[in-house]
Amino acid sequence: MSSKRVVIFAGGELSPEYFDLLDEDDFIIGADHGALFLISHGYTPDIAVGDFDSVSLEALQDIESKSKKTITCDAVNKDLTDSEMALDIAMDQQPDSILLLGVTGTRMDHSLASIQMMTRALQRQINCYVMDTHNYITLTGSQAVINDLGYTYVSLLPLTPEVSGITLEGFQYPLTDASLKLGQSLGVSNKLISSSGTVTIRSGLLLIIQSKD
């Protein structure tokens, strides 16, 4: 089965406003507490997955009864986070894109792990996005069109030791065949000057972060 987009609701920071992003044909995965968030707002996950250590037994039973399918695992003897298990399931749907919600929050380790997970989707040629209240993050190894989604800034951060051949079109501070090394802040706080801009790179992996305060 091929689905155009998979949307993952994980156990981090979530907002009811995210439901406005959903389309009827989205394949929806609830990871751990994200599944409880979905059913608590009247949504039916196509798949609920996780160790469910953040919900009560009663809540888990509710999740199982109100999800189309539930996949549980041991909370101790597992190698993947709930979010990564959800991502594996999402990629198995062979979608065009994956939207990750609730994968950021107070746990910086989980936030960084979730951002780095996008490399796995990119290897499968699947567009992957991480979104929270203040940020919209994607990853490119070639070219990306950045649409104005109402965020103030667009920052570029290398995810590999060096990203070369960076060319920006439609930005306040353009670049032509530039390079960014890990640890440099040259690409922080740029801005779009039109409804969209284009980021092109020759080598490496580049995080593109749209953000607002």
Side-chain angles (χ1 to χ4, degrees):
M1 173 184 175
S2 177
S3 179
K4 184 176 181 180
R5 184 176 72 162
V6 176
V7 182
I8 296 173
F9 285 76
E13 294 181 359
L14 291 168
S15 168
E17 295 177 0
Y18 294 158
F19 296 126
D20 295 335
L21 304 171
L22 297 179
D23 296 324
E24 286 186 5
D25 58 349
D26 285 336
F27 190 92
I28 301 174
I29 299 174
D32 199 78
H33 197 274
L36 181 60
F37 179 81
L38 284 163
I39 67 167
S40 297
H41 288 83
Y43 287 82
T44 301
D46 289 284
I47 296 178
V49 62
D51 56 30
F52 297 102
D53 61 350
S54 66
V55 303
S56 66
L57 179 58
E58 181 181 3
L60 176 56
Q61 293 171 341
D62 204 22
I63 290 169
E64 290 175 330
S65 67
K66 295 180 179 177
S67 301
K68 294 180 181 178
K69 181 178 181 180
T70 303
I71 301 172
T72 60
C73 66
D74 186 88
V76 177
N77 296 313
K78 68 171 187 175
D79 296 322
L80 307 180
T81 64
D82 296 325
S83 297
E84 189 171 4
M85 286 190 290
L87 180 67
D88 282 344
I89 294 168
M91 292 191 295
D92 287 342
Q93 305 304 311
Q94 300 179 344
D96 295 327
S97 64
I98 299 171
L99 176 61
L100 293 161
L101 304 170
V103 297
T104 59
T106 55
R107 287 283 300 270
M108 185 59 69
D109 52 349
H110 279 282
S111 297
L112 288 174
S114 298
I115 290 170
Q116 291 176 355
M117 279 193 324
M118 291 194 291
T119 60
R120 299 188 56 219
L122 190 65
Q123 290 167 357
R124 298 269 292 266
Q125 298 182 324
I126 300 171
N127 295 318
C128 191
Y129 308 91
V130 169
M131 182 179 179
D132 62 26
T133 306
H134 297 283
N135 305 279
Y136 188 82
I137 307 169
T138 190
L139 177 70
T140 186
S142 55
Q143 186 179 81
V145 175
I146 308 304
N147 295 311
D148 186 352
L149 301 176
Y151 295 90
T152 308
Y153 306 105
V154 182
S155 294
L156 310 177
L157 295 175
L159 197 59
T160 47
E162 183 172 0
V163 179
S164 64
I166 304 170
T167 298
L168 304 182
E169 298 178 4
F171 288 83
Q172 183 175 349
Y173 306 108
L175 291 173
T176 302
D177 200 27
S179 294
L180 276 176
K181 293 184 178 180
L182 200 64
Q184 291 180 329
S185 60
L186 175 66
V188 172
S189 296
N190 208 332
K191 292 185 177 182
L192 289 169
I193 56 174
S194 58
S195 59
S196 66
T198 302
V199 178
T200 305
I201 69 172
R202 185 170 59 250
S203 66
L205 296 175
L206 187 68
L207 284 169
I208 304 169
I209 303 174
Q210 298 182 66
S211 60
K212 60 186 177 183
D213 293 323

